[in-house]
Amino acid sequence: MIIRAIKGLAKSIKNKKRTIIRSIVAVWLVLFIALLGGKAYQHLDQHESRGAIAVENGHFGESYPTPIYLDQGWDRSDSLWFYNTTQGSALLPYDFFLELELPAVESTEKLRDIATIDKYRYLPQDESFFNPDGLPLGFVKDTYKGDDYVGYTCAACHTGQVNYTDEKTNKRYAIRIDGGPAMADMVGFLMELEASMDATLKNTTKLDRFVDNVLKRNNGYSDRDDVIKDLEKWTLTMKQYNMVNESDVEYGYARLDAFGRIFNRVLQHVLNKEQAKRALLLAHDENGDRILTEAEVELVLKDITDPTVIGNEQFALVLRNLMSTEPGYPGLTKDELTILKDVFFNIPNAPVSYPFMWDITHSDYVQWNGLANNASVGPLGRNVGEVIGVFGILDWKAKDPGFSISAKLSGQSKNKPQIDFQSSIRHTNLRRLENQLKTLKSPEWPVEIFGELDEKKVKRGELIYAEYCQSCHEIIDRNNWDRIVIANMSNLDSVGTDRKMAENSVNYTGKSGNFKYTYQATDAGTIVLGEEAPVAALLTAATKGVVGTPEADKLFIRRWLDWLYNLASSFFENEIKASVKAGDYFPDTTGKPYDSLLAYKARSLNGIWATAPYLHNGSVPSLYDLLLPAKCDPENGVMECRPATFEVGSREFDKVKVGLKYEGYGGTVFDTSVEGNFNTGHEYAAGNTALPNGEELKPLNKQQRYDLLEFMKTL
């Protein structure tokens, strides 16, 4: 009897094991099939020109033919998949973007028409399999919780183009650069978007036309009132975003203070009602007079239903209440609003060039100041932070305490309540995009278009590069799969370039919300956050919370399987391992745990010819100008120096100076006398900046500068 029972138990265990094994095999088989299907799907778009189209009579009179591509390791389907893969960005309801008109009363032109897209230097695209509505490059349709949105992809900011006319044949070329820096004026475009929505609400004819066109699309809106209500909500949201991020430094083309704006989005969603109330009550003008009374503060905050997380929509209502002139409301002026804005947010006044993307997956540290360690799950966290900045929907809300991976990762394990970091951010796509970038190579100088290089100059320039550049900018083989690109850091005092971006990353603080009294790790040790905390710490904590939260728009089982797979892939497939930063930088200390960020990195210069303008803030228009001193000194014979002002916006390539045309066409004016725009520092070729080892170099003469440029074209 006992033996029979034991045998039965053994059989039962054996059957259960078999069932478990079969279940595991089935799950992994489904995942494997899904991966194969995803890989096949990735190659479905084979548009002949990768969607690129010619533009006639473009902005600044800059017409160009259908762009061509260089060999960067990607075929047509690779580029088109990168352009059109969603990452969870939700700038605007999709139908709104398709139907909005320009703000001028008499205009019926669509905001998305080629002329406006080209005006803001985004790249127009043809219709294709992944882009059936012919959206601009880097704009994509995404769906979240059943609603369609238009959002940004990585490609919007990280796809470049240069135009060139052969002087001998007069043949015109346009060259698309995958992973290259965009020329986009994102701020100008978003201001135009706000103006378009505002004008639509205020003009009956425009509004009627807009509502009719949206309803004809039959895509989720039931009636006129439904459309108008949503338009009012999104107009207020965009108005709020633009006001919060208003800067005293004009960005213009080819630049964005991405981190400043990411910081502000995090602060807006971390802020809780208690801290908001206290800050509003303490806000005062320059005379020391309070701006708001207690009664006004109560009215301003009356629409906040979640005291733990105010969030995007409720914050927009706070802004509306602050501006309201109804009885009892404060009806604040713009100056008074600016004072309140500065209580909660930081001015994003350190715009930088959009960085190029080749070699990013092979780099040990990324971002201009080496902020992001690229090892382990670092790339996933970095990309999550990026989507937070480009309008990912952050459905953060309070939840009761309990077992929570996101709470553990973000330091909230003991909090009551905790933040649930649900969002529209697509972790799986971010991982796939990162994998795609592993195969992207830098563009080589196209001799078939620009002409052959002078080998004698190249040989002379190679010697100069070895002496003046190579100690920081190592030479790498673009075809070496195992390459590791080392970020050689130079502290602000030694490199001498504009300090604003690096200093903001260290000095900016904000209200900590539910992260108050939480423990957060830094390279110098664990810190405890007070009510006013470093935004760098808040961004890291919030990013960890999002990384620890599975995608909301998937069924339960798939949601968690994908989450586990993404984390496992990040750990085991990432070839970059944790390492100490290279170079000369201030060490982090317990008193100053972020001081190592007061530096800028030097990376390899392969493909550098296609990435103008130069320096981290785009303050130098060409490589030739970069080899000059920042200031002229006629008394000492220094007659040639970097331009103090220049225009930005043209894509016309200057193959002699290696940069873009920068005068005489009406682009945005870059004034290097403004803090944040300084063009000083990195004057090695001018003999004004010593090498990291302290060696002082002689200034190069004109011939030597052109020899060095000739060699740099080969990188």
Side-chain angles (χ1 to χ4, degrees):
M1 195 76 171
I2 295 174
I3 293 173
R4 188 180 301 166
I6 292 173
K7 285 183 177 180
L9 180 61
K11 186 176 181 180
S12 176
I13 292 172
K14 187 176 181 180
N15 288 337
K16 285 182 178 179
K17 281 184 177 180
R18 188 181 293 121
T19 301
I20 292 171
I21 292 171
R22 284 175 178 171
S23 298
I24 292 172
V25 170
V27 167
W28 283 108
L29 184 61
V30 169
L31 281 174
F32 180 71
I33 292 171
L35 287 171
L36 286 180
K39 207 66 181 173
Y41 178 79
Q42 185 173 329
H43 292 277
L44 289 180
D45 201 337
Q46 295 284 343
H47 191 286
E48 187 175 3
S49 66
R50 310 191 195 198
I53 59 176
V55 170
E56 292 293 332
N57 193 31
H59 205 60
F60 308 128
E62 194 177 41
S63 303
Y64 57 83
T66 301
I68 59 176
Y69 284 77
L70 305 178
D71 178 15
Q72 292 187 253
W74 284 1
D75 61 20
R76 290 181 295 189
S77 62
D78 291 328
S79 295
L80 287 162
W81 183 84
F82 179 72
Y83 299 162
N84 297 292
T85 294
T86 62
Q87 53 179 357
S89 170
L91 172 65
L92 196 70
Y94 190 71
D95 292 348
F96 285 18
F97 184 74
L98 294 183
E99 299 300 342
L100 274 172
E101 298 172 351
L102 293 178
V105 173
E106 69 281 359
S107 178
T108 59
E109 292 180 58
K110 297 291 176 63
L111 178 72
R112 69 185 185 101
D113 285 352
I114 289 177
T116 302
I117 294 305
D118 184 62
K119 173 185 175 182
Y120 292 106
R121 307 271 84 177
Y122 289 108
L123 296 167
Q125 287 284 93
D126 196 6
E127 296 175 4
S128 68
F129 181 82
F130 287 146
N131 185 17
D133 290 312
L135 300 179
L137 194 152
F139 288 70
V140 70
K141 181 180 181 179
D142 203 346
T143 301
Y144 179 63
K145 293 187 175 180
D147 294 323
D148 294 334
Y149 300 94
V150 67
Y152 284 107
T153 73
C154 303
C157 299
H158 302 289
T159 306
Q161 180 172 311
V162 296
N163 301 334
Y164 177 72
T165 302
D166 188 304
E167 295 177 356
K168 295 180 180 179
T169 65
N170 208 35
K171 186 175 180 179
R172 187 90 167 121
Y173 296 90
I175 307 170
R176 285 276 169 91
I177 310 294
D178 277 336
M183 185 59 70
D185 176 7
M186 182 178 177
V187 174
F189 178 75
L190 295 179
M191 294 297 293
E192 184 95 57
L193 178 58
E194 178 194 328
S196 292
M197 291 192 287
D198 201 42
T200 303
L201 285 171
K202 292 176 178 176
N203 183 278
T204 303
T205 304
K206 274 186 175 293
L207 183 60
D208 290 343
R209 198 160 49 231
F210 174 79
V211 171
D212 288 346
N213 289 336
V214 168
L215 290 175
K216 284 177 185 176
R217 292 188 169 274
N218 194 27
N219 193 24
Y221 290 102
S222 57
D223 54 35
R224 176 184 177 88
D225 290 342
D226 196 19
V227 175
I228 294 175
K229 182 180 178 182
D230 222 20
L231 180 61
E232 290 173 341
K233 182 188 81 171
W234 283 92
T235 303
L236 185 60
T237 297
M238 186 53 60
K239 189 185 297 291
Q240 161 206 297
Y241 176 86
N242 287 335
M243 187 202 76
V244 163
N245 290 292
E246 189 175 3
S247 173
D248 52 351
V249 176
E250 183 181 2
Y251 296 7
Y253 294 108
R255 298 197 306 166
L256 186 72
D257 187 347
F259 263 107
R261 288 165 177 256
I262 293 171
F263 283 172
N264 282 342
R265 283 212 89 207
V266 168
L267 290 176
Q268 179 184 329
H269 287 79
V270 164
L271 183 66
N272 64 32
K273 187 173 182 177
E274 179 188 348
Q275 292 180 3
K277 181 178 181 178
R278 190 156 47 245
L280 290 173
L281 287 173
L282 293 175
H284 57 84
D285 60 22
E286 59 185 10
N287 298 319
D289 296 325
R290 293 178 190 261
I291 294 175
L292 300 171
T293 65
E294 288 192 37
E296 287 173 335
V297 170
E298 290 296 333
L299 274 176
V300 165
L301 300 180
K302 72 180 180 64
D303 294 308
I304 296 177
T305 57
D306 185 343
T308 304
V309 183
I310 293 179
N312 199 55
E313 290 187 25
Q314 292 186 359
F315 196 90
L317 296 177
V318 170
L319 174 62
R320 183 198 64 188
N321 293 340
L322 286 168
M323 296 186 296
S324 175
T325 55
E326 293 180 18
Y329 287 86
L332 298 186
T333 65
K334 185 176 180 180
D335 288 342
E336 290 170 328
L337 278 174
T338 298
I339 294 173
L340 290 185
K341 180 187 74 171
D342 293 344
V343 169
F344 296 111
F345 303 105
N346 300 293
I347 302 174
N349 57 3
V352 298
S353 293
Y354 300 106
F356 52 87
M357 299 293 281
W358 49 85
D359 295 328
I360 190 170
T361 59
H362 299 273
S363 300
D364 58 352
Y365 285 84
V366 296
Q367 308 301 352
W368 287 111
N369 64 338
L371 175 66
N373 187 325
N374 223 19
S376 185
V377 295
L380 182 58
R382 160 170 51 83
N383 289 319
V384 162
E386 177 256 331
V387 187
I388 288 174
V390 291
F391 308 103
I393 296 176
L394 307 179
D395 279 337
W396 299 355
K397 54 180 68 71
K399 68 173 184 177
D400 292 332
F403 174 75
S404 170
I405 295 172
S406 63
K408 180 71 174 176
L409 292 175
S410 62
Q412 295 182 93
S413 295
K414 297 182 179 180
N415 284 28
K416 294 182 181 182
Q418 298 168 347
I419 296 177
D420 177 3
F421 289 97
Q422 188 177 120
S423 73
S424 65
I425 298 173
R426 296 177 174 268
H427 302 176
T428 300
N429 281 0
L430 294 179
R431 176 185 54 78
R432 294 169 69 205
L433 286 163
E434 192 76 9
N435 285 338
Q436 176 79 355
L437 286 168
K438 289 180 181 178
T439 62
L440 180 66
K441 298 189 289 189
S442 57
E444 292 184 291
W445 181 266
V447 294
E448 68 279 8
I449 297 174
F450 297 154
E452 297 288 340
L453 298 175
D454 186 323
E455 288 301 323
K456 291 182 178 178
K457 285 185 177 181
V458 169
K459 292 295 184 184
R460 294 197 299 265
E462 184 176 19
L463 296 176
I464 298 171
Y465 188 92
E467 182 180 1
Y468 282 72
C469 312
Q470 198 163 330
S471 61
C472 292
H473 301 284
E474 63 173 332
I475 296 176
I476 66 169
D477 179 0
R478 68 196 284 272
N479 296 309
N480 179 7
W481 178 257
D482 295 326
R483 65 190 181 275
I484 296 178
V485 180
I486 300 170
N488 281 294
M489 306 305 298
S490 296
N491 71 67
L492 298 182
D493 293 341
S494 64
V495 73
T497 50
D498 190 282
R499 307 171 68 93
K500 200 68 175 175
M501 181 267 172
E503 289 182 339
N504 286 359
S505 71
V506 173
N507 297 332
Y508 274 176
T509 62
K511 307 301 178 190
S512 59
N514 212 51
F515 290 119
K516 184 178 179 180
Y517 301 147
T518 62
Y519 292 89
Q520 302 295 336
T522 74
D523 289 344
T526 301
I527 61 175
V528 183
L529 303 188
E531 183 163 322
E532 197 76 17
V535 186
L538 296 174
L539 172 60
T540 301
T543 299
K544 288 179 179 178
V546 176
V547 169
T549 305
E551 295 179 45
D553 249 8
K554 292 179 178 177
L555 296 175
F556 180 82
I557 294 177
R558 186 185 171 193
R559 182 190 312 165
W560 282 98
L561 285 175
D562 279 356
W563 180 82
L564 286 169
Y565 183 79
N566 290 332
L567 282 188
S569 298
S570 297
F571 273 111
F572 298 115
E573 292 182 4
N574 190 351
E575 298 296 329
I576 301 299
K577 308 303 178 187
S579 61
V580 176
K581 284 182 186 176
D584 173 27
Y585 53 89
F586 306 120
D588 293 325
T589 66
T590 53
K592 297 180 178 180
Y594 296 104
D595 258 20
S596 63
L597 301 180
L598 296 173
Y600 294 121
K601 70 170 186 175
R603 60 184 289 180
S604 60
L605 300 183
N606 49 310
I608 195 67
W609 66 269
T611 65
Y614 298 100
L615 290 185
H616 74 276
N617 60 348
S619 60
V620 181
S622 76
L623 283 180
Y624 180 83
D625 293 311
L626 187 61
L627 304 180
L628 299 173
K631 307 295 179 186
C632 290
D633 185 6
E635 292 184 4
N636 292 303
V638 180
M639 307 299 294
E640 196 175 11
C641 56
R642 299 170 184 173
T645 60
F646 58 94
E647 295 174 33
V648 185
S650 173
R651 296 192 179 105
E652 294 298 310
F653 189 67
D654 182 342
K655 70 174 185 178
V656 178
K657 287 190 170 183
V658 190
L660 300 172
K661 180 180 179 181
Y662 59 84
E663 57 186 2
Y665 62 90
T668 53
V669 176
F670 194 115
D671 182 357
T672 64
S673 68
V674 176
E675 186 180 14
N677 290 354
F678 292 164
N679 67 351
T680 51
H682 198 279
E683 298 177 57
Y684 303 102
N688 293 337
T689 305
L691 292 177
N693 62 8
E695 180 184 354
E696 295 185 0
L697 302 167
K698 294 181 180 179
L700 300 179
N701 61 38
K702 195 161 197 167
Q703 181 60 59
Q704 289 173 317
R705 290 196 288 269
Y706 280 118
D707 289 345
L708 178 55
L709 282 189
E710 201 76 356
F711 174 72
M712 292 174 74
K713 294 173 185 177
T714 70
L715 297 176

